[in-house]
Amino acid sequence: MLRARCVIPHRILLRPYATSPGPHALVFLEHREGALDSGSLSAITAARRLGGEVTGIVIGGPDQVPDVVEKAKKLKGLTKLLHSTSPAYSSQVPEIVSPLFERLLSDGTPFTHVVSAHSSSAKSLLPRVAAKLDVPAISDITSLEHDGSSNATTFTRPIYAGNAIATVRAPSSIGVKIFTVRSTAFSAAPSEDGSQVQVEALDPVELADAPTQHIRTDLTKSDRPDLAVAGRIVSGGRALKNAETFKATLEPLADVLGAAIGASRAAVDAGYADNSLQVGQTGKVVAPELYIALGISGAIQHLAGMKDSKLIVAINKDPDAPIFQVADAGLVADLYEAVPELVEKLKQQ
Amino acid sequence: MRPSAVRLLNILVPIKRTVDYAVKIRVNPDQKGIDLNVKHSMNPFDEIAVEEAVRLREKLKDAVKSIKVVTIGPPKSSETLRTALAMGADSGIHVEIPDSAPAPEPLGIAKALRAVIEREREKGGVDLVIMGKQAIDDDAGQTGQMLAGLMDWSQATFASKVALDVEKNEANVTREIDGGLEELRCRLPLVVTTDLRLNEPRYASLPNIMKAKKKPIEKLTPKDLSVDLAPRIETLKVTEPPKRVGGVKVANVDELIAKLKEAGITAVKS
């Protein structure tokens, strides 16, 4: 009895809210070493397509947040910026960060969507948050459209390693729609001096006894552009024989083109290149202006990660290699002769 | 009787039957899905999970009390369970759904796994769940994290190295993250999701395949677990990706450079 009495007035209070809230996206802004991740900038662009307000959220340690907030508040497209600082947040362990999202997104939340890049940290965090809120999540979307009248959002996303595209609809019954964005499918939101958004600090949710502790992070150091955002990529496969030849063959070409270096799974498994360089279904998905595949046969798992590149160049000895079916310029040749020649001739231009 | 000081671990490995990774899939003309009359096998990441569970037992011997594999899927998924049993798991659970049922979503699967774990409680519980980081059909990569969230357990996703300390009741896990590696110390119970680099799955030998036929598989229905596996996200259609108009070959390096130039690509000045 008592319960029934409490619930009814509560509902009446909420009604004006629930009828026409308009989409309001919360974008998880990731950062590393004081810089915003470019994937998050693409997530803002995706969030803006919903047609409503876009609030960004920055989470991190005390030495990280101030710098990042300074940069984030210049981002074009944000209507508001939230930030939360705690020493415990500096390594973004999902078990520790998730309670903050749960609090922000629980009953009565203004947010209708949660958006982030399809990055390793968001992939770990957001499904956990979704389960806590009892809502499904949508991974790696490549387009979206929100219908305000039915409060439903339609997404497309690749399935089966990109060999099929699913169009899915999250109906209004899913109160908070949580999704990650394929960064290569959306342009990055630009920064703008002078566009100042409203900034608001959020109290962190301190966890007394976290079950998981961060020990350390080892990042692969490189002077080259980051693979995920590089405009040009030179990628090598199993045909490169060993780590030394991989380096000796790919680096001069990457240098002359100002390109990032990528690798097929075969090359990574054989130890020619670092794991973080893998392009494909299980590695990074890239869509640069130029993708040069050297000694890569073109298995479907690899194609899943690069077939949206603008110009694909393949050099391979085997004329029947599947990579030639997607290449805009395929050269059947021994890459140990062709690549040095290519480097020389490019230099002469 | 074993000395009680030694903790005994129960490992649960959820697996999924998927279209074989080497199959070139075809989208059905009705745009409702893809042609499933093709070779199926265990999701490659799940093979790695089974292998890891078996290796943990080989390393920790008696400290691992049981390795149970569970699948939620159509009748034919029992073949996948047999494969896992042949690789070294002890017993299986098959939560059977009809062939005609729509594919469950990760959240539904996570809830079913939660129910399975709760059923296991009286049989010693589950201390460690090892599962693939993603299924190669829906490519969602959510189930492990969702399960950890539902259980309020620690999670270690994209694991490339797992070191269990049974005495301390914790695990050190190295994870593959964007740009490098990360190491976590996780308290058990724990959900680990496997990356490709974790191990190289073994082939089941013929004697082990024969032995696996005698290992027990418990059959359950979603109803037994009181879970609703109906998807909440509607799939409107499944289409072919846009075709690339590639397939152009050039005769030599000069022609290749001409092509690059045409696209506005030249060397950078260093």
Side-chain angles (χ1 to χ4, degrees), chain A residues 28 30 94 116-129 137-140 179-181 280-285, chain B residues 133-134 139-146 155 157-158 175-178 193 195:
Chain A
F28 178 36
E30 297 174 72
S116 86
H118 193 61
S119 65
S120 62
S121 57
K123 282 192 277 186
S124 300
L125 172 67
L126 291 188
R128 187 180 177 100
V129 173
I138 301 127
S139 298
D140 207 14
F179 60 96
T180 59
V181 170
Q281 183 186 22
T282 58
K284 291 231 165 55
V285 176
Chain B
K133 74 164 178 181
Q134 85 192 58
D139 283 333
Q142 301 167 353
T143 311
Q145 298 87 303
M146 287 183 159
Q155 67 178 52
T157 47
F158 324 133
R175 304 177 53 228
E176 302 217 347
I177 58 167
D178 294 338
T193 75
D195 213 311

mmCIF file of all heavy atoms in Angstrom, chain A residues 28 30 94 116-129 137-140 179-181 280-285, chain B residues 133-134 139-146 155 157-158 175-178 193 195:
data_model
loop_
_atom_site.group_PDB
_atom_site.id
_atom_site.type_symbol
_atom_site.label_atom_id
_atom_site.label_comp_id
_atom_site.label_asym_id
_atom_site.label_seq_id
_atom_site.Cartn_x
_atom_site.Cartn_y
_atom_site.Cartn_z
ATOM 1 N N PHE A 28 32.114 10.238 -23.726
ATOM 2 C CA PHE A 28 33.271 9.884 -22.891
ATOM 3 C C PHE A 28 34.532 10.354 -23.626
ATOM 4 O O PHE A 28 34.878 9.825 -24.674
ATOM 5 C CB PHE A 28 33.263 8.372 -22.681
ATOM 6 C CG PHE A 28 34.416 7.826 -21.885
ATOM 7 C CD1 PHE A 28 34.954 8.528 -20.817
ATOM 8 C CD2 PHE A 28 34.951 6.573 -22.196
ATOM 9 C CE1 PHE A 28 36.010 8.009 -20.074
ATOM 10 C CE2 PHE A 28 36.006 6.043 -21.459
ATOM 11 C CZ PHE A 28 36.534 6.767 -20.407
ATOM 12 N N GLU A 30 38.295 10.551 -23.943
ATOM 13 C CA GLU A 30 39.491 9.869 -23.458
ATOM 14 C C GLU A 30 40.722 10.712 -23.742
ATOM 15 O O GLU A 30 40.734 11.525 -24.665
ATOM 16 C CB GLU A 30 39.608 8.513 -24.144
ATOM 17 C CG GLU A 30 38.440 7.616 -23.801
ATOM 18 C CD GLU A 30 38.490 6.336 -24.600
ATOM 19 O OE1 GLU A 30 39.359 5.508 -24.314
ATOM 20 O OE2 GLU A 30 37.672 6.188 -25.507
ATOM 21 N N PRO A 94 38.001 -0.091 -15.236
ATOM 22 C CA PRO A 94 36.539 -0.073 -15.361
ATOM 23 C C PRO A 94 35.798 -0.262 -14.029
ATOM 24 O O PRO A 94 34.795 0.402 -13.778
ATOM 25 C CB PRO A 94 36.247 -1.244 -16.308
ATOM 26 C CG PRO A 94 37.494 -1.431 -17.082
ATOM 27 C CD PRO A 94 38.623 -1.030 -16.179
ATOM 28 N N SER A 116 31.075 6.870 -27.160
ATOM 29 C CA SER A 116 32.529 6.917 -27.015
ATOM 30 C C SER A 116 33.154 6.315 -28.250
ATOM 31 O O SER A 116 32.471 5.700 -29.064
ATOM 32 C CB SER A 116 32.973 6.128 -25.795
ATOM 33 O OG SER A 116 33.121 4.782 -26.156
ATOM 34 N N ALA A 117 34.439 6.515 -28.389
ATOM 35 C CA ALA A 117 35.176 5.839 -29.455
ATOM 36 C C ALA A 117 35.191 4.344 -29.151
ATOM 37 O O ALA A 117 35.030 3.934 -28.005
ATOM 38 C CB ALA A 117 36.601 6.373 -29.510
ATOM 39 N N HIS A 118 35.397 3.541 -30.185
ATOM 40 C CA HIS A 118 35.515 2.092 -29.996
ATOM 41 C C HIS A 118 36.968 1.784 -29.619
ATOM 42 O O HIS A 118 37.690 1.107 -30.332
ATOM 43 C CB HIS A 118 35.104 1.385 -31.289
ATOM 44 C CG HIS A 118 34.884 -0.083 -31.139
ATOM 45 N ND1 HIS A 118 33.930 -0.608 -30.303
ATOM 46 C CD2 HIS A 118 35.490 -1.162 -31.709
ATOM 47 C CE1 HIS A 118 33.967 -1.931 -30.373
ATOM 48 N NE2 HIS A 118 34.905 -2.289 -31.220
ATOM 49 N N SER A 119 37.399 2.330 -28.492
ATOM 50 C CA SER A 119 38.792 2.187 -28.048
ATOM 51 C C SER A 119 38.879 1.074 -27.028
ATOM 52 O O SER A 119 37.867 0.613 -26.508
ATOM 53 C CB SER A 119 39.229 3.483 -27.387
ATOM 54 O OG SER A 119 38.452 3.658 -26.213
ATOM 55 N N SER A 120 40.109 0.667 -26.698
ATOM 56 C CA SER A 120 40.219 -0.458 -25.768
ATOM 57 C C SER A 120 39.666 -0.097 -24.398
ATOM 58 O O SER A 120 39.058 -0.940 -23.743
ATOM 59 C CB SER A 120 41.664 -0.956 -25.685
ATOM 60 O OG SER A 120 42.512 0.048 -25.184
ATOM 61 N N SER A 121 39.812 1.148 -23.953
ATOM 62 C CA SER A 121 39.295 1.437 -22.610
ATOM 63 C C SER A 121 37.778 1.566 -22.607
ATOM 64 O O SER A 121 37.123 1.093 -21.684
ATOM 65 C CB SER A 121 39.975 2.667 -22.010
ATOM 66 O OG SER A 121 39.799 3.773 -22.841
ATOM 67 N N ALA A 122 37.205 2.174 -23.637
ATOM 68 C CA ALA A 122 35.741 2.269 -23.682
ATOM 69 C C ALA A 122 35.101 0.903 -23.886
ATOM 70 O O ALA A 122 34.054 0.608 -23.315
ATOM 71 C CB ALA A 122 35.315 3.225 -24.791
ATOM 72 N N LYS A 123 35.757 0.045 -24.666
ATOM 73 C CA LYS A 123 35.234 -1.303 -24.893
ATOM 74 C C LYS A 123 35.187 -2.089 -23.583
ATOM 75 O O LYS A 123 34.376 -2.969 -23.408
ATOM 76 C CB LYS A 123 36.125 -2.063 -25.885
ATOM 77 C CG LYS A 123 35.894 -1.671 -27.323
ATOM 78 C CD LYS A 123 36.575 -2.647 -28.268
ATOM 79 C CE LYS A 123 38.023 -2.347 -28.485
ATOM 80 N NZ LYS A 123 38.670 -3.181 -29.497
ATOM 81 N N SER A 124 36.111 -1.773 -22.684
ATOM 82 C CA SER A 124 36.134 -2.464 -21.398
ATOM 83 C C SER A 124 35.107 -1.870 -20.442
ATOM 84 O O SER A 124 34.500 -2.595 -19.659
ATOM 85 C CB SER A 124 37.517 -2.349 -20.758
ATOM 86 O OG SER A 124 38.483 -2.928 -21.600
ATOM 87 N N LEU A 125 34.951 -0.576 -20.499
ATOM 88 C CA LEU A 125 34.112 0.118 -19.514
ATOM 89 C C LEU A 125 32.620 0.094 -19.857
ATOM 90 O O LEU A 125 31.789 -0.265 -19.024
ATOM 91 C CB LEU A 125 34.588 1.581 -19.403
ATOM 92 C CG LEU A 125 33.715 2.509 -18.564
ATOM 93 C CD1 LEU A 125 33.764 2.117 -17.095
ATOM 94 C CD2 LEU A 125 34.134 3.952 -18.737
ATOM 95 N N LEU A 126 32.270 0.500 -21.080
ATOM 96 C CA LEU A 126 30.860 0.759 -21.365
ATOM 97 C C LEU A 126 29.946 -0.474 -21.273
ATOM 98 O O LEU A 126 28.841 -0.355 -20.758
ATOM 99 C CB LEU A 126 30.694 1.474 -22.708
ATOM 100 C CG LEU A 126 31.218 2.918 -22.717
ATOM 101 C CD1 LEU A 126 30.834 3.617 -24.001
ATOM 102 C CD2 LEU A 126 30.742 3.729 -21.530
ATOM 103 N N PRO A 127 30.372 -1.664 -21.745
ATOM 104 C CA PRO A 127 29.476 -2.803 -21.563
ATOM 105 C C PRO A 127 29.211 -3.104 -20.084
ATOM 106 O O PRO A 127 28.112 -3.505 -19.705
ATOM 107 C CB PRO A 127 30.228 -3.966 -22.228
ATOM 108 C CG PRO A 127 31.126 -3.309 -23.214
ATOM 109 C CD PRO A 127 31.535 -2.013 -22.565
ATOM 110 N N ARG A 128 30.224 -2.864 -19.241
ATOM 111 C CA ARG A 128 30.029 -3.070 -17.803
ATOM 112 C C ARG A 128 28.970 -2.101 -17.270
ATOM 113 O O ARG A 128 28.054 -2.495 -16.540
ATOM 114 C CB ARG A 128 31.363 -2.876 -17.068
ATOM 115 C CG ARG A 128 31.297 -3.242 -15.597
ATOM 116 C CD ARG A 128 32.646 -3.038 -14.909
ATOM 117 N NE ARG A 128 32.525 -3.329 -13.495
ATOM 118 C CZ ARG A 128 32.908 -4.469 -12.934
ATOM 119 N NH1 ARG A 128 33.442 -5.423 -13.655
ATOM 120 N NH2 ARG A 128 32.741 -4.670 -11.639
ATOM 121 N N VAL A 129 29.089 -0.838 -17.689
ATOM 122 C CA VAL A 129 28.113 0.166 -17.266
ATOM 123 C C VAL A 129 26.719 -0.219 -17.777
ATOM 124 O O VAL A 129 25.729 -0.155 -17.048
ATOM 125 C CB VAL A 129 28.524 1.560 -17.792
ATOM 126 C CG1 VAL A 129 27.445 2.588 -17.517
ATOM 127 C CG2 VAL A 129 29.847 1.995 -17.170
ATOM 128 N N ALA A 137 24.105 -2.760 -25.305
ATOM 129 C CA ALA A 137 25.017 -1.767 -25.866
ATOM 130 C C ALA A 137 25.228 -2.082 -27.341
ATOM 131 O O ALA A 137 24.982 -3.205 -27.776
ATOM 132 C CB ALA A 137 26.344 -1.790 -25.122
ATOM 133 N N ILE A 138 25.659 -1.091 -28.092
ATOM 134 C CA ILE A 138 25.869 -1.274 -29.532
ATOM 135 C C ILE A 138 27.319 -0.911 -29.838
ATOM 136 O O ILE A 138 27.758 0.197 -29.524
ATOM 137 C CB ILE A 138 24.880 -0.410 -30.344
ATOM 138 C CG1 ILE A 138 23.436 -0.803 -29.979
ATOM 139 C CG2 ILE A 138 25.066 -0.606 -31.844
ATOM 140 C CD1 ILE A 138 22.565 0.309 -29.574
ATOM 141 N N SER A 139 28.054 -1.836 -30.439
ATOM 142 C CA SER A 139 29.490 -1.645 -30.637
ATOM 143 C C SER A 139 29.819 -1.178 -32.041
ATOM 144 O O SER A 139 29.250 -1.678 -33.015
ATOM 145 C CB SER A 139 30.229 -2.965 -30.416
ATOM 146 O OG SER A 139 30.053 -3.412 -29.109
ATOM 147 N N ASP A 140 30.789 -0.261 -32.123
ATOM 148 C CA ASP A 140 31.483 0.010 -33.372
ATOM 149 C C ASP A 140 30.555 0.467 -34.489
ATOM 150 O O ASP A 140 30.614 -0.045 -35.603
ATOM 151 C CB ASP A 140 32.220 -1.283 -33.792
ATOM 152 C CG ASP A 140 33.441 -0.988 -34.641
ATOM 153 O OD1 ASP A 140 33.869 0.168 -34.690
ATOM 154 O OD2 ASP A 140 33.969 -1.940 -35.251
ATOM 155 N N PHE A 179 26.562 3.414 -26.979
ATOM 156 C CA PHE A 179 27.216 2.873 -28.175
ATOM 157 C C PHE A 179 28.642 3.390 -28.341
ATOM 158 O O PHE A 179 28.986 4.463 -27.855
ATOM 159 C CB PHE A 179 26.384 3.145 -29.432
ATOM 160 C CG PHE A 179 26.124 4.605 -29.744
ATOM 161 C CD1 PHE A 179 26.937 5.286 -30.640
ATOM 162 C CD2 PHE A 179 25.071 5.278 -29.161
ATOM 163 C CE1 PHE A 179 26.688 6.619 -30.955
ATOM 164 C CE2 PHE A 179 24.816 6.613 -29.461
ATOM 165 C CZ PHE A 179 25.622 7.282 -30.352
ATOM 166 N N THR A 180 29.447 2.585 -29.025
ATOM 167 C CA THR A 180 30.801 3.009 -29.376
ATOM 168 C C THR A 180 30.861 3.251 -30.874
ATOM 169 O O THR A 180 30.116 2.648 -31.647
ATOM 170 C CB THR A 180 31.858 1.965 -28.979
ATOM 171 O OG1 THR A 180 31.563 0.738 -29.640
ATOM 172 C CG2 THR A 180 31.891 1.734 -27.483
ATOM 173 N N VAL A 181 31.766 4.140 -31.255
ATOM 174 C CA VAL A 181 31.785 4.684 -32.604
ATOM 175 C C VAL A 181 33.064 4.270 -33.328
ATOM 176 O O VAL A 181 34.156 4.376 -32.771
ATOM 177 C CB VAL A 181 31.721 6.230 -32.512
ATOM 178 C CG1 VAL A 181 31.971 6.872 -33.852
ATOM 179 C CG2 VAL A 181 30.393 6.671 -31.926
ATOM 180 N N GLY A 280 43.335 -5.068 -38.621
ATOM 181 C CA GLY A 280 42.391 -6.126 -38.964
ATOM 182 C C GLY A 280 41.252 -6.237 -37.976
ATOM 183 O O GLY A 280 41.102 -5.395 -37.095
ATOM 184 N N GLN A 281 40.459 -7.292 -38.133
ATOM 185 C CA GLN A 281 39.285 -7.512 -37.288
ATOM 186 C C GLN A 281 39.663 -7.511 -35.816
ATOM 187 O O GLN A 281 38.945 -6.993 -34.980
ATOM 188 C CB GLN A 281 38.639 -8.858 -37.647
ATOM 189 C CG GLN A 281 37.366 -9.155 -36.873
ATOM 190 C CD GLN A 281 36.838 -10.555 -37.150
ATOM 191 O OE1 GLN A 281 37.577 -11.442 -37.585
ATOM 192 N NE2 GLN A 281 35.562 -10.760 -36.911
ATOM 193 N N THR A 282 40.802 -8.107 -35.496
ATOM 194 C CA THR A 282 41.182 -8.213 -34.097
ATOM 195 C C THR A 282 42.222 -7.172 -33.718
ATOM 196 O O THR A 282 42.673 -7.127 -32.588
ATOM 197 C CB THR A 282 41.726 -9.614 -33.785
ATOM 198 O OG1 THR A 282 42.830 -9.845 -34.649
ATOM 199 C CG2 THR A 282 40.677 -10.657 -34.024
ATOM 200 N N GLY A 283 42.624 -6.357 -34.658
ATOM 201 C CA GLY A 283 43.568 -5.297 -34.352
ATOM 202 C C GLY A 283 42.903 -3.948 -34.564
ATOM 203 O O GLY A 283 41.772 -3.735 -34.159
ATOM 204 N N LYS A 284 43.605 -3.051 -35.220
ATOM 205 C CA LYS A 284 43.043 -1.719 -35.443
ATOM 206 C C LYS A 284 42.292 -1.662 -36.770
ATOM 207 O O LYS A 284 42.649 -2.345 -37.718
ATOM 208 C CB LYS A 284 44.181 -0.696 -35.507
ATOM 209 C CG LYS A 284 44.854 -0.501 -34.186
ATOM 210 C CD LYS A 284 44.957 0.966 -33.823
ATOM 211 C CE LYS A 284 45.289 1.131 -32.369
ATOM 212 N NZ LYS A 284 46.509 0.399 -31.974
ATOM 213 N N VAL A 285 41.276 -0.825 -36.791
ATOM 214 C CA VAL A 285 40.575 -0.565 -38.041
ATOM 215 C C VAL A 285 41.035 0.805 -38.526
ATOM 216 O O VAL A 285 40.937 1.780 -37.798
ATOM 217 C CB VAL A 285 39.054 -0.585 -37.840
ATOM 218 C CG1 VAL A 285 38.343 -0.208 -39.120
ATOM 219 C CG2 VAL A 285 38.612 -1.966 -37.372
ATOM 220 N N LYS B 133 37.314 -12.538 -26.193
ATOM 221 C CA LYS B 133 37.075 -11.094 -26.113
ATOM 222 C C LYS B 133 35.948 -10.665 -27.034
ATOM 223 O O LYS B 133 35.333 -9.635 -26.827
ATOM 224 C CB LYS B 133 38.348 -10.303 -26.410
ATOM 225 C CG LYS B 133 38.749 -10.271 -27.880
ATOM 226 C CD LYS B 133 39.772 -9.173 -28.154
ATOM 227 C CE LYS B 133 40.190 -9.183 -29.610
ATOM 228 N NZ LYS B 133 41.178 -8.164 -29.939
ATOM 229 N N GLN B 134 35.694 -11.436 -28.082
ATOM 230 C CA GLN B 134 34.568 -11.129 -28.949
ATOM 231 C C GLN B 134 34.243 -12.357 -29.778
ATOM 232 O O GLN B 134 35.088 -13.213 -29.969
ATOM 233 C CB GLN B 134 34.855 -9.923 -29.854
ATOM 234 C CG GLN B 134 35.595 -10.210 -31.142
ATOM 235 C CD GLN B 134 36.092 -8.936 -31.825
ATOM 236 O OE1 GLN B 134 36.843 -8.165 -31.243
ATOM 237 N NE2 GLN B 134 35.687 -8.728 -33.052
ATOM 238 N N ASP B 139 30.684 -9.612 -33.580
ATOM 239 C CA ASP B 139 31.776 -8.666 -33.312
ATOM 240 C C ASP B 139 31.433 -7.627 -32.233
ATOM 241 O O ASP B 139 31.900 -6.487 -32.297
ATOM 242 C CB ASP B 139 32.207 -7.935 -34.601
ATOM 243 C CG ASP B 139 33.074 -8.811 -35.504
ATOM 244 O OD1 ASP B 139 33.754 -9.709 -34.981
ATOM 245 O OD2 ASP B 139 33.070 -8.599 -36.730
ATOM 246 N N ALA B 140 30.616 -8.017 -31.257
ATOM 247 C CA ALA B 140 30.184 -7.043 -30.248
ATOM 248 C C ALA B 140 31.260 -6.836 -29.176
ATOM 249 O O ALA B 140 31.567 -5.711 -28.807
ATOM 250 C CB ALA B 140 28.879 -7.482 -29.604
ATOM 251 N N GLY B 141 31.813 -7.909 -28.659
ATOM 252 C CA GLY B 141 32.848 -7.783 -27.642
ATOM 253 C C GLY B 141 32.337 -7.193 -26.340
ATOM 254 O O GLY B 141 32.941 -6.272 -25.798
ATOM 255 N N GLN B 142 31.201 -7.685 -25.856
ATOM 256 C CA GLN B 142 30.604 -7.097 -24.655
ATOM 257 C C GLN B 142 30.344 -8.088 -23.531
ATOM 258 O O GLN B 142 30.263 -7.692 -22.367
ATOM 259 C CB GLN B 142 29.240 -6.463 -25.009
ATOM 260 C CG GLN B 142 29.313 -5.381 -26.067
ATOM 261 C CD GLN B 142 27.943 -5.018 -26.605
ATOM 262 O OE1 GLN B 142 26.945 -5.652 -26.290
ATOM 263 N NE2 GLN B 142 27.901 -3.991 -27.427
ATOM 264 N N THR B 143 30.180 -9.359 -23.874
ATOM 265 C CA THR B 143 29.607 -10.297 -22.909
ATOM 266 C C THR B 143 30.420 -10.407 -21.614
ATOM 267 O O THR B 143 29.849 -10.400 -20.523
ATOM 268 C CB THR B 143 29.438 -11.685 -23.563
ATOM 269 O OG1 THR B 143 28.783 -11.509 -24.815
ATOM 270 C CG2 THR B 143 28.615 -12.601 -22.698
ATOM 271 N N GLY B 144 31.729 -10.493 -21.724
ATOM 272 C CA GLY B 144 32.564 -10.653 -20.524
ATOM 273 C C GLY B 144 32.420 -9.478 -19.576
ATOM 274 O O GLY B 144 32.239 -9.649 -18.365
ATOM 275 N N GLN B 145 32.471 -8.272 -20.143
ATOM 276 C CA GLN B 145 32.370 -7.076 -19.318
ATOM 277 C C GLN B 145 30.986 -7.004 -18.670
ATOM 278 O O GLN B 145 30.848 -6.597 -17.512
ATOM 279 C CB GLN B 145 32.583 -5.822 -20.174
ATOM 280 C CG GLN B 145 33.948 -5.702 -20.830
ATOM 281 C CD GLN B 145 34.019 -6.404 -22.174
ATOM 282 O OE1 GLN B 145 33.757 -7.586 -22.291
ATOM 283 N NE2 GLN B 145 34.382 -5.667 -23.201
ATOM 284 N N MET B 146 29.969 -7.393 -19.444
ATOM 285 C CA MET B 146 28.606 -7.352 -18.903
ATOM 286 C C MET B 146 28.455 -8.347 -17.765
ATOM 287 O O MET B 146 27.861 -8.039 -16.735
ATOM 288 C CB MET B 146 27.600 -7.643 -20.007
ATOM 289 C CG MET B 146 27.459 -6.464 -20.960
ATOM 290 S SD MET B 146 26.219 -6.763 -22.198
ATOM 291 C CE MET B 146 25.842 -5.065 -22.684
ATOM 292 N N GLN B 155 37.291 -7.565 -13.645
ATOM 293 C CA GLN B 155 37.351 -7.984 -15.042
ATOM 294 C C GLN B 155 38.726 -7.653 -15.606
ATOM 295 O O GLN B 155 39.349 -6.672 -15.227
ATOM 296 C CB GLN B 155 36.261 -7.274 -15.861
ATOM 297 C CG GLN B 155 36.468 -5.761 -15.987
ATOM 298 C CD GLN B 155 35.397 -5.089 -16.835
ATOM 299 O OE1 GLN B 155 34.197 -5.267 -16.607
ATOM 300 N NE2 GLN B 155 35.824 -4.315 -17.819
ATOM 301 N N THR B 157 40.025 -7.553 -19.457
ATOM 302 C CA THR B 157 39.702 -7.777 -20.857
ATOM 303 C C THR B 157 40.973 -7.814 -21.705
ATOM 304 O O THR B 157 42.005 -7.265 -21.321
ATOM 305 C CB THR B 157 38.798 -6.645 -21.367
ATOM 306 O OG1 THR B 157 39.364 -5.401 -20.956
ATOM 307 C CG2 THR B 157 37.407 -6.747 -20.794
ATOM 308 N N PHE B 158 40.876 -8.418 -22.861
ATOM 309 C CA PHE B 158 41.962 -8.486 -23.855
ATOM 310 C C PHE B 158 43.252 -9.001 -23.236
ATOM 311 O O PHE B 158 44.326 -8.402 -23.407
ATOM 312 C CB PHE B 158 42.195 -7.117 -24.513
ATOM 313 C CG PHE B 158 40.940 -6.311 -24.738
ATOM 314 C CD1 PHE B 158 40.855 -4.972 -24.394
ATOM 315 C CD2 PHE B 158 39.817 -6.919 -25.290
ATOM 316 C CE1 PHE B 158 39.688 -4.249 -24.592
ATOM 317 C CE2 PHE B 158 38.648 -6.188 -25.489
ATOM 318 C CZ PHE B 158 38.589 -4.859 -25.137
ATOM 319 N N ARG B 175 47.228 -6.996 -20.205
ATOM 320 C CA ARG B 175 46.176 -6.724 -21.190
ATOM 321 C C ARG B 175 46.743 -5.989 -22.387
ATOM 322 O O ARG B 175 47.625 -5.160 -22.251
ATOM 323 C CB ARG B 175 45.088 -5.835 -20.582
ATOM 324 C CG ARG B 175 44.455 -6.339 -19.327
ATOM 325 C CD ARG B 175 43.460 -5.298 -18.817
ATOM 326 N NE ARG B 175 42.540 -4.940 -19.883
ATOM 327 C CZ ARG B 175 42.232 -3.687 -20.216
ATOM 328 N NH1 ARG B 175 42.752 -2.669 -19.583
ATOM 329 N NH2 ARG B 175 41.391 -3.450 -21.208
ATOM 330 N N GLU B 176 46.173 -6.259 -23.546
ATOM 331 C CA GLU B 176 46.538 -5.498 -24.737
ATOM 332 C C GLU B 176 45.630 -4.292 -24.826
ATOM 333 O O GLU B 176 44.410 -4.428 -24.888
ATOM 334 C CB GLU B 176 46.343 -6.375 -25.978
ATOM 335 C CG GLU B 176 47.158 -7.628 -25.872
ATOM 336 C CD GLU B 176 47.740 -8.067 -27.187
ATOM 337 O OE1 GLU B 176 47.326 -7.545 -28.232
ATOM 338 O OE2 GLU B 176 48.622 -8.930 -27.139
ATOM 339 N N ILE B 177 46.230 -3.120 -24.792
ATOM 340 C CA ILE B 177 45.442 -1.898 -24.897
ATOM 341 C C ILE B 177 45.926 -1.113 -26.115
ATOM 342 O O ILE B 177 46.974 -1.430 -26.675
ATOM 343 C CB ILE B 177 45.546 -1.032 -23.624
ATOM 344 C CG1 ILE B 177 47.002 -0.664 -23.343
ATOM 345 C CG2 ILE B 177 44.938 -1.747 -22.431
ATOM 346 C CD1 ILE B 177 47.172 0.422 -22.307
ATOM 347 N N ASP B 178 45.188 -0.092 -26.501
ATOM 348 C CA ASP B 178 45.609 0.736 -27.635
ATOM 349 C C ASP B 178 46.987 1.298 -27.317
ATOM 350 O O ASP B 178 47.161 1.947 -26.291
ATOM 351 C CB ASP B 178 44.631 1.895 -27.844
ATOM 352 C CG ASP B 178 43.249 1.406 -28.268
ATOM 353 O OD1 ASP B 178 43.168 0.275 -28.788
ATOM 354 O OD2 ASP B 178 42.271 2.135 -28.074
ATOM 355 N N THR B 193 38.813 -11.922 -20.392
ATOM 356 C CA THR B 193 38.513 -12.155 -21.808
ATOM 357 C C THR B 193 39.829 -12.227 -22.582
ATOM 358 O O THR B 193 40.751 -11.475 -22.321
ATOM 359 C CB THR B 193 37.569 -11.098 -22.422
ATOM 360 O OG1 THR B 193 38.292 -9.890 -22.651
ATOM 361 C CG2 THR B 193 36.374 -10.821 -21.545
ATOM 362 N N ASP B 195 42.696 -12.363 -25.538
ATOM 363 C CA ASP B 195 43.148 -11.820 -26.799
ATOM 364 C C ASP B 195 43.876 -12.938 -27.545
ATOM 365 O O ASP B 195 44.218 -13.976 -26.967
ATOM 366 C CB ASP B 195 44.057 -10.608 -26.573
ATOM 367 C CG ASP B 195 43.882 -9.596 -27.692
ATOM 368 O OD1 ASP B 195 43.922 -10.007 -28.852
ATOM 369 O OD2 ASP B 195 43.688 -8.412 -27.399
#
